[in-house]
């Protein structure tokens, strides 16, 4: 830690932090004082520090490192914590277990970066600087979306991905499980979703519209046990996994598996081998809603998260316009035209989820078109955040020019292939204010926060995912957790934080 600092170089920046002279040293004599209900936090701290330090940090009533739950600490909310380190001990306090889990990530960052290594680090003294920290997040939603539909990733990598989210106090892992090019979650009643829908014959080379293909089949699906295990693993780190099942568009993989769900039941379709927006969408007949409800029942079984994302964007309505059955459905439902079936479809599914105690989430095209129960993710334009919030929707700001990590992070020629049309540099991510300036207090209060998106049309490997994600996710975490706007301060903290990413072996952008 540099000598001139008055606050430690943490990412995200804590609300209040003051360095004091002196250190506390973790060594073989250090034990944990584990307050009632804090056992999961003690387990996490022990398991995170053991590989590098070799310390076992067992429990003891007079342990020097105290983890304490105190529901009287009202001002800290669900995720806040207080951390005091003096030469004699460490006191981490929170009102909820999640707050302790956040504080543990801070303790990790306060140690020398070698503490984050996966292998034993001999010859390092495990010094914690004396510090007083009170830390409460600015926004309750700090998310990261990973698209495993375009390119499948093994669950072992998803666990590592969750570890890195937790380090940055990102609390929502949005898992994009289905799309035109692949369906990755098994559903017992519809085995062909993964057997057929989980595999495509080839991938395009180049952006949407490209006519050259790699000729290499791509596929993969998780088991239910893997997904349930991922949910538990993330929960132990204070991260919620929010699944996304796309409907009624971006559903070509499901249509390849079950053509009767489409608008032309006699047609056979392949799992899409193009990128972009696909014209083939789900039909609007009863069988489709039975299918969606059955799928979502299983999704709710595996994913206990309150929020469940059903996609909803980029749904061409041409097939409905040309289908007599869809036109009849629209008329019977009293809709002005088949295009209105889009909102009607989402409304039916949203009602179903609400009846089951869940909160439906959708991508907004404009912020003005979704049924009222939806939490919306605005991605096309920051103005949509305001539109949606003023209509009463809870909103997560996902503006593409600040949060889409599939765009290159610089215009340098050595950058790997990326989504064309924009550069999203580190500074743009850090500068992104989730709450629009024009928002009044009521609208501002509906903005839950922000999240990063990594669509993977051009991204096939874990190393490439990490290259695109870091350090840009550090910037998003900083802005989302602390509201920090000082770019120079972030840059200087990031310089020290980079040593932590290196110790973790993260393949980050230089
Ligand atoms: C999106 O980028 N399709 C939400």
């Amino acid at each position: 830690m540099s000598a001139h600092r008055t606050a430690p170089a943490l990412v995200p920046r804590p609300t209040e932090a003051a360095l004091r002279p002196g250190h506390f040293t973790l060594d073989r004599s250090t034990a944990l004082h584990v307050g009632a209900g804090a056992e999961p936090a003690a387990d996490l701290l022990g398991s995170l520090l053991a590989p590098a330090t070799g310390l076992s940090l067992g429990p003891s009533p007079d342990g020097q490192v105290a983890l304490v739950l105190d529901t009287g600490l009202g001002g800290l909310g669900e995720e806040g914590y207080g951390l005091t380190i003096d030469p004699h001990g460490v006191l981490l306090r929170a009102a909820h277990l999640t707050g302790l889990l956040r504080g543990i990530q801070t303790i990790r960052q306060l140690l020398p970066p070698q503490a984050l290594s996966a292998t034993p680090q001999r010859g390092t003294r495990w010094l914690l600087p004396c510090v007083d920290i009170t830390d409460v997040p600015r926004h309750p939603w700090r998310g990261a979306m990973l698209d495993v539909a375009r390119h499948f990733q093994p669950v072992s990598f998803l666990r590592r991905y969750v570890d890195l989210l937790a380090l940055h106090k990102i609390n929502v892992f949005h898992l994009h499980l289905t799309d035109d090019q692949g369906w990755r979650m098994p559903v017992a009643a519809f085995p062909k979703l993964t057997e057929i829908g989980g595999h495509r014959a080839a991938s395009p080379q180049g952006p949407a519209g490209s006519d050259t293909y790699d000729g290499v089949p791509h596929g993969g699906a998780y088991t239910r046990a893997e997904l349930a295990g991922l949910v538990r693993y993330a929960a132990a780190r204070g991260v919620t996994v929010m699944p996304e099942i796309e409907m009624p568009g971006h559903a070509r993989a499901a249509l390849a598996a079950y053509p009767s769900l489409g608008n032309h039941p006699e047609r056979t379709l392949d799992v899409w081998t193009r990128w972009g927006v696909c014209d083939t969408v789900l039909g609007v007949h009863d069988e489709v809603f039975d299918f969606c409800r059955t799928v979502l029942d299983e999704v709710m079984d595996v994913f206990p998260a309150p929020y469940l994302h059903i996609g909803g964007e980029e749904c061409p309505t041409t097939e409905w316009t040309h289908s007599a059955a869809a036109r009849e459905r629209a008329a019977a439902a009293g809709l002005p035209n088949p295009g209105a079936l889009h909102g009607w479809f989402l409304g039916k599914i949203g009602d179903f989820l609400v009846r089951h105690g869940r909160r439906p989430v959708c991508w907004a095209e404009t912020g003005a078109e979704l049924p009222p129960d939806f939490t919306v993710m605005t991605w096309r334009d920051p103005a949509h955040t305001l539109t949606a919030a003023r209509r009463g929707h809870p909103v997560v700001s996902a503006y593409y020019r600040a949060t889409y990590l599939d765009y290159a992070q610089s215009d340098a020629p050595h950058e790997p292939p990326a989504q064309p049309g924009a550069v999203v540099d580190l500074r743009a991510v850090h500068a992104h204010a989730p709450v629009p300036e024009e928002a009044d207090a009521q609208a501002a209060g509906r903005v839950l926060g922000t999240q990063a998106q990594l669509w993977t049309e051009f991204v096939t490997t874990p190393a490439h995912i990490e290259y695109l994600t870091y350090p840009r996710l550090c910037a998003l975490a900083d802005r989302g957790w602390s509201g920090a706007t000082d770019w120079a301060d972030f840059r200087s903290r990031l310089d020290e934080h980079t040593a932590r990413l290196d110790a973790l072996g993260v393949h980050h952008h230089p």
Side-chain angles (χ1 to χ4, degrees), residues 313-314 363 379 404 455:
E313 91 287 23
E314 295 180 325
W363 300 105
W379 56 290
Y404 272 35
W455 305 103

Side-chain angles (χ1 to χ4, degrees), residues 150 244 246 250 313-314 363-364 377 379-380 400 404 453 455:
R150 270 54 174 268
E244 179 182 355
E246 281 265 17
H250 284 290
E313 91 287 23
E314 295 180 325
W363 300 105
M377 292 195 167
W379 56 290
R380 292 183 184 276
Y400 78 102
Y404 272 35
Q453 279 54 241
W455 305 103

Side-chain angles (χ1 to χ4, degrees), residues 25-67:
T25 307
L26 290 179
D27 60 25
R28 303 215 163 273
S29 71
T30 308
L32 301 183
H33 170 91
V34 185
E39 297 82 1
D43 290 347
L44 181 66
L45 181 62
S47 70
L48 287 172
L49 296 186
T53 67
L55 299 175
S56 56
L57 299 177
S60 159
D62 40 38
Q64 310 90 324
V65 176
L67 309 177

Side-chain angles (χ1 to χ4, degrees), residues 146 148 153-163 165 173-175 177 222-237 239-242 302-304:
L146 183 63
V148 291
Q153 298 299 335
V155 78
S156 56
F157 175 69
L158 301 188
R159 288 181 179 225
R160 172 176 166 86
Y161 189 87
V162 165
D163 283 331
L165 299 187
F173 179 20
H174 171 174
L175 195 54
L177 283 164
Y222 302 106
T223 66
R224 183 175 159 131
E226 283 177 329
L227 293 172
L230 179 69
V231 166
R232 284 193 302 274
Y233 185 86
R237 285 149 185 79
V239 176
T240 299
V241 184
M242 177 181 67
V302 175
F303 296 95

Side-chain angles (χ1 to χ4, degrees), residues 266-332:
E266 72 293 347
R267 168 183 66 183
T268 52
L269 292 166
D270 59 349
V271 175
W272 218 30
T273 55
R274 301 180 69 81
W275 307 136
V277 176
C278 185
D279 275 345
T280 43
V281 303
L282 292 175
V284 288
H285 42 298
D286 291 343
E287 181 192 351
V288 174
F289 292 97
D290 290 341
F291 166 81
C292 291
R293 286 188 286 258
T294 303
V295 167
L296 292 174
D297 272 334
E298 181 136 2
V299 171
M300 288 188 281
D301 273 352
V302 175
F303 296 95
Y307 291 93
L308 205 156
H309 203 304
I310 59 164
E313 91 287 23
E314 295 180 325
C315 178
T317 53
T318 347
E319 284 198 347
W320 296 337
T321 304
H322 290 111
S323 150
R327 287 198 305 272
E328 275 167 35
R329 256 276 133 117

